Structure formats: C-alpha cells, structure tokens
Amino acid sequence: MGQPKVSIIIISFDMAREVPRTVQSFLPPYQQGISNNEVEIIVLENGSSHPVSEADRAQWPDNVRYLDIDTPHPSPARALNFGVS
C-alpha cells in the first residue's frame, strides 16, 4: 500500500458489534471518490472484555489494521495518541 490520502483512527471499547459496521462505513463504496489504497483505517482495541472477533477482522481489507493497546486507559486519549503516532 502506498501513502494513504486519509487516515482514520477508531478507538474500540466493548463495541464488537459496532466496530465492523463503522469500518465498513469508511470504505468504498460507502465513501465515494476514494479507493481502498487511498485510505487507511486503524482500529485500536482499548481493553474490551469482548473485542472484535477474528472472523470479523479477517473480512477487512489490507488497509485496515487492528491493534491492541498494551496499557488500556479509561480515557481514549492515550489510545488516540498512540494511533496518531
């Protein structure tokens, strides 16, 4: 994948049902005028007791990354800063 035009960061905490839908909404054909290689989506798992399933993640294209936060914090700010870096 080349340099994306758009980077999207999603912080997840006990949203296993909603996150796959949110990811899908940021990809073509829902987003028009942009291709998969022009967008990257970073999903940061912030300590959920029920994270997004591997089956759901396996359906995502290569431009979607799912990362576990090593030291989750109740505030999403730490996870967001990690994603931006």
Side-chain angles (χ1 to χ4, degrees), residues 21-82:
R21 295 173 185 180
T22 302
V23 167
Q24 188 65 36
S25 74
F26 282 112
L27 295 170
Y30 295 98
Q31 299 302 315
Q32 299 177 0
I34 195 164
S35 62
N36 269 350
N37 65 348
E38 295 175 313
V39 62
E40 74 173 332
I41 299 174
I42 303 167
V43 179
L44 298 169
E45 176 52 60
N46 198 30
S48 298
S49 57
H50 301 292
V52 177
S53 73
E54 287 190 35
D56 283 333
R57 290 181 283 167
Q59 296 177 27
W60 292 343
D62 291 340
N63 60 326
V64 180
R65 292 186 286 157
Y66 185 85
L67 305 171
D68 282 314
I69 300 298
D70 290 334
T71 54
H73 190 269
S75 167
R78 186 179 294 165
L80 183 58
N81 287 334
F82 174 78

